[in-house]
Amino acid sequence: MRKNKFWIFNLFAISALFIVGCSTEYETSNITGWDYNNPKNGGFQKVPYAEQETGPGLILIEGGTFTMGRVEQDITMENHNIPRRVTVSSFYMDETEITNYNWCEYLYWINRTYTDFPMIYKKALPDTLSWREKMGNNETYVEYYLRHPAYRDYPVVGVSWNQANDFAAWRTDRVNEYILIREGVLTMNPNQQNEPFTTDSYLAGQYEQGLNPAGQIADLDPSKGGYDPTTGKFKARNMATRHVRMEDGILLPRYRLPTEAEWEFAAYGLIGNTIDERIIERRLYPWDGHWVRNPQETFQGDMLANFVRGRGDYMGVSGHLNDNADVTAPAYSYWPNDYGLYNMAGNVSEWVLDVYRPLTAEDADDFRPFRGNVFKTKVLNASGSVSEKYDATIYDIYGIEQYLVEFKAERGGKADRKYGYTPNKKRLDSVEKELLLVVEQYVADAKKLLENKQIVEASLKIQEVFDNVFEDFELQVEQDADLAGYTIQISPMLRSGMSDYIMNTPGNVKMREVTAEENIKRSNYRIADNIDYLDGDLKSSIFYPGADANALAIEDFNSKAKNEDFAMYQRGKEKKLNGAGAATTLISDNSRVYKGASWKDRAYYLNPGTRRFLEQDRSTSTIGFRCAMDRIGSPTGLGVFR
């Protein structure tokens, strides 16, 4: 990371006392004539700023306009990605996919930090069992792929969209914490057990660990010390200090997943075949031409990506492996595209930020298109300041409730199966039923607290299940002479399954979805959740409210007898049908787009315009991800306007 901007900033902070005490030359406002950085007239600060620092691992992707969507023939016949012209702003993107070693660093930090919450570590574990195949011998990858040093530089797989987002949030906080340590604002503090640094909590003034007394920023507000207006005397040693603020430009924006438009734009690398404003060739792949082998004389015939060349051909013939990879390849394999990004075709498919809808191409904006907005704001207390950050793990209570229903159905052999498999006997014994009854009672109590808006208390009730119920159950079994030798199976299953429903971890600032009543005067949006807008909401269904013939159906939705979320894409049971109603689609508000080909795909998916989807809590051995970051300010850097 470049340091020039920040040592200048830090020099400003350290020497602020000297400046205000010894100099009478100040930059003045061009609208009021008042001095900047002068505590004697208010102390409004203007800090030196050059440009946004490039975060670790990132490459600047200069934005622009391009034709997004299908280039190849639509062999899947889905017609869900019609070509359209859009514009993408400049942004940053990881040079490579996130690797196994990156993820192991993440796991180590979680395990070392959340000592009282082992379920957080459990939630972060990739699904190594995603390598298993019913008719294939892949146990080698199950056991070794994530942690063995031979695979440390290979892309991590078996991570869900939810896990990828958690990683991006963690990375944001670690990078910003390092920047503050580097600039002397914080001291190195590895002992943050159960209360780690987060960017939001620091900006809200709720992180006080490791503050460096000698490196704090001078607060030039005269009302907070240093200047006595009654005497006109200034005493630098009496000046107050403050936390770094967003206005200082020292902290980086959030790491996140790229949007579908950003990923597709970056993959093509059109900057490499553009002359002035003319794109000289509409690329089929992230490289020029309509072939998948390198045409250069030195490397002629070598594969340009890691994919399946034909049935049963994953790496080629012994003696000259065509892509030199049986499954994935190291993250820096093959040739980068014209932005310098590796493996934007092949190796692993990659999660993007968007919620999947077939008609997004027709509905989304043509500037920074994206579907998936759920607008949130910080929770405020009665005084109007930011509410205290979480000091407990917050759970999705309704998600756990549904999980228990599905768990009992599977365990008892009563799951609704459509592929001819029926267990020989019920497997839910009386001891297990007893445990499940206790757990369900805790969940029911948590629901009551949640409905009373006691969010933290509701989650603490779930936490009791992890901290006490499972251990008490095990002790009870051990002490029962009639159960000698009984093997407890479901406790670790439930621990692992319920861990997936962690929504927030200790140290995070409390957030909530915005409401329509606080947006009464807005015309650009009203409600928080806009995922279904124009494709999935009631208005876009056959039950369009404007039609008189649909009056009875609309009343069913208004009375909650039918779920409005199922008007377009049926994904759950309907109250009016007595809990019946089979799913009619694989699409839901939790369906997320993933892009690109993997080591297990044919060449068709090497084209960046292809798109597929998977539920955000699912993972496979073929999907990884890389992070992105917004570019703030000039799209080309250094404030250049051309």
Side-chain angles (χ1 to χ4, degrees):
M1 291 189 288
R2 296 190 302 277
K3 299 184 180 182
N4 59 323
K5 176 183 72 172
F6 295 105
W7 73 257
I8 293 174
F9 174 82
N10 207 32
L11 179 64
F12 168 81
I14 295 172
S15 61
L17 306 182
F18 174 80
I19 294 174
V20 298
C22 305
S23 174
T24 57
E25 296 296 328
Y26 298 99
E27 183 180 353
T28 59
S29 167
N30 64 337
I31 59 170
T32 65
W34 286 62
D35 293 339
Y36 295 136
N37 305 323
N38 186 351
K40 295 183 178 181
N41 71 353
F44 181 68
Q45 288 183 268
K46 182 178 182 180
V47 302
Y49 185 79
E51 64 165 319
Q52 181 178 344
E53 178 179 7
T54 301
L58 299 178
I59 289 178
L60 177 62
I61 309 299
E62 184 177 331
T65 183
F66 81 114
T67 301
M68 180 181 179
R70 187 178 66 246
V71 177
E72 262 278 25
Q73 53 188 322
D74 187 13
I75 62 174
T76 61
M77 303 297 288
E78 292 174 290
N79 197 33
H80 61 169
N81 204 17
I82 59 175
R84 67 275 188 198
R85 176 67 72 87
V86 302
T87 290
V88 173
S89 297
S90 294
F91 64 101
Y92 293 91
M93 198 170 191
D94 274 334
E95 188 178 15
T96 70
E97 303 115 342
I98 297 301
T99 66
N100 287 319
Y101 209 54
N102 299 146
W103 200 271
C104 286
E105 178 185 355
Y106 171 52
L107 291 175
Y108 174 79
W109 185 93
I110 290 176
N111 193 45
R112 183 177 61 81
T113 301
Y114 294 114
T115 53
D116 293 344
F117 303 96
M119 67 291 300
I120 298 176
Y121 177 80
K122 180 72 71 175
K123 181 191 177 188
L125 288 171
D127 180 17
T128 56
L129 301 182
S130 63
W131 284 104
R132 285 181 171 168
E133 296 290 346
K134 290 184 284 293
M135 297 295 288
N137 179 22
N138 290 344
E139 292 301 300
T140 299
Y141 304 116
V142 172
E143 188 170 356
Y144 298 114
Y145 184 80
L146 174 63
R147 299 186 187 274
H148 196 283
Y151 291 112
R152 65 171 49 159
D153 296 323
Y154 287 59
V156 67
V157 296
V159 295
S160 67
W161 184 92
N162 288 334
Q163 289 175 311
N165 272 271
D166 290 343
F167 177 91
W170 167 82
R171 187 178 176 187
T172 299
D173 296 331
R174 300 290 68 74
V175 169
N176 280 333
E177 182 183 17
Y178 171 75
I179 288 174
L180 292 176
I181 292 171
R182 187 189 69 194
E183 301 308 315
V185 176
L186 297 179
T187 57
M188 191 68 70
N189 179 27
N191 300 316
Q192 302 177 23
Q193 273 67 27
N194 306 310
E195 192 179 355
F197 170 94
T198 67
T199 304
D200 287 338
S201 65
Y202 175 82
L203 290 173
Q206 296 181 14
Y207 180 81
E208 301 295 335
Q209 300 181 47
L211 296 180
N212 182 6
Q216 295 306 293
I217 311 301
D219 192 335
L220 303 185
D221 185 347
S223 65
K224 296 182 179 178
Y227 177 68
D228 186 351
T230 60
T231 63
K233 293 183 179 180
F234 175 81
K235 293 183 180 180
R237 66 177 180 272
N238 293 334
M239 288 187 70
T241 58
R242 61 170 177 82
H243 282 192
V244 171
R245 298 186 294 230
M246 189 61 68
E247 296 94 314
D248 298 320
I250 186 173
L251 297 174
L252 289 181
R254 303 177 195 278
Y255 284 85
R256 56 173 175 81
L257 292 177
T259 66
E260 182 178 3
E262 288 173 338
W263 193 97
E264 191 171 325
F265 177 82
Y268 279 121
L270 296 176
I271 196 172
N273 65 348
T274 302
I275 299 176
D276 295 325
E277 284 199 277
R278 291 180 293 117
I279 297 175
I280 59 177
E281 181 181 351
R282 178 71 166 102
R283 283 180 170 170
L284 187 63
Y285 304 117
W287 51 81
D288 291 329
H290 293 256
W291 44 82
V292 294
R293 294 181 182 271
N294 197 323
Q296 298 177 22
E297 184 176 352
T298 307
F299 306 103
Q300 192 167 24
D302 289 350
M303 289 292 178
L304 291 165
N306 178 16
F307 66 103
V308 179
R309 188 169 64 169
R311 182 173 182 178
D313 183 2
Y314 285 78
M315 59 178 174
V317 178
S318 176
H320 189 80
L321 302 180
N322 58 36
D323 64 22
N324 199 32
D326 49 359
V327 285
T328 59
Y332 280 101
S333 299
Y334 312 105
W335 291 263
N337 73 359
D338 287 319
Y339 277 120
L341 303 173
Y342 288 83
N343 288 300
M344 294 300 286
N347 214 23
V348 292
S349 303
E350 298 182 17
W351 288 114
V352 295
L353 204 57
D354 294 58
V355 170
Y356 175 81
R357 284 292 187 275
L359 300 180
T360 295
E362 300 180 12
D363 303 327
D365 289 356
D366 56 8
F367 177 65
R368 297 169 62 102
F370 170 69
R371 180 184 289 278
N373 281 317
V374 180
F375 300 122
K376 296 186 177 183
T377 186
K378 291 182 177 66
V379 175
L380 304 181
N381 57 29
S383 65
S385 56
V386 177
S387 183
E388 277 296 317
K389 61 186 178 182
Y390 289 117
D391 58 1
T393 301
I394 305 301
Y395 294 91
D396 176 4
I397 311 296
Y398 296 108
I400 291 176
E401 181 185 41
Q402 181 60 34
Y403 164 74
L404 291 175
V405 171
E406 296 174 3
F407 182 91
K408 287 176 63 178
E410 288 285 358
R411 190 69 175 174
K414 297 179 180 179
D416 183 18
R417 298 182 182 275
K418 301 297 184 184
Y419 45 89
Y421 168 73
T422 304
N424 293 327
K425 61 180 180 179
K426 295 181 179 180
R427 294 165 290 169
L428 190 62
D429 60 42
S430 59
V431 179
E432 294 174 339
K433 286 180 180 178
E434 183 180 344
L435 173 61
L436 283 168
L437 282 173
V438 174
V439 174
E440 287 176 325
Q441 184 58 54
Y442 273 83
V443 173
D445 293 342
K447 276 182 62 178
K448 292 178 182 177
L449 291 169
L450 187 63
E451 289 164 1
N452 198 33
K453 298 185 178 179
Q454 296 173 273
I455 298 173
V456 175
E457 289 73 13
S459 289
L460 288 175
K461 182 64 69 173
I462 300 297
Q463 189 66 45
E464 288 183 44
V465 177
F466 286 96
D467 294 344
N468 301 320
V469 172
F470 292 136
E471 293 181 7
D472 290 346
F473 171 71
E474 184 174 0
L475 184 62
Q476 180 182 344
V477 170
E478 289 176 354
Q479 294 175 346
D480 191 332
D482 294 334
L483 295 176
Y486 181 87
T487 302
I488 299 175
Q489 292 183 334
I490 69 170
S491 292
M493 296 179 190
L494 291 171
R495 275 188 180 275
S496 179
M498 292 171 64
S499 295
D500 290 338
Y501 294 91
I502 294 174
M503 298 173 61
N504 255 303
T505 52
N508 287 340
V509 170
K510 296 176 182 176
M511 304 289 291
R512 65 167 176 83
E513 295 183 5
V514 302
T515 61
E517 53 268 29
E518 64 187 320
N519 296 316
I520 292 174
K521 296 183 179 180
R522 293 192 180 278
S523 57
N524 53 338
Y525 73 95
R526 283 289 183 87
I527 62 174
D529 191 337
N530 295 274
I531 290 173
D532 286 337
Y533 183 62
L534 297 179
D535 189 4
D537 56 7
L538 191 58
K539 289 183 178 179
S540 61
S541 73
I542 59 174
F543 303 109
Y544 179 65
D548 293 337
N550 288 325
L552 291 177
I554 299 303
E555 180 55 35
D556 286 339
F557 290 116
N558 288 336
S559 64
K560 306 300 182 184
K562 285 188 175 181
N563 190 336
E564 185 176 332
D565 292 338
F566 302 154
M568 188 83 169
Y569 300 103
Q570 174 72 41
R571 287 282 294 174
K573 309 298 184 182
E574 293 280 15
K575 180 180 178 182
K576 187 168 183 177
L577 301 177
N578 297 319
T584 60
T585 176
L586 296 175
I587 301 169
S588 77
D589 289 353
N590 295 325
S591 302
R592 299 287 174 169
V593 178
Y594 65 94
K595 301 283 283 183
S598 74
W599 60 271
K600 211 172 183 180
D601 287 314
R602 300 294 181 93
Y604 173 77
Y605 286 105
L606 294 176
N607 171 243
T610 57
R611 65 198 302 248
R612 290 173 282 182
F613 67 94
L614 187 69
E615 293 299 281
Q616 64 186 35
D617 60 352
R618 305 293 179 89
S619 60
T620 76
S621 62
T622 61
I623 302 179
F625 73 102
R626 69 183 77 208
C627 295
M629 179 186 288
D630 291 309
R631 166 70 187 180
I632 307 300
S634 166
T636 55
L638 296 175
V640 176
F641 179 80
R642 295 185 298 184

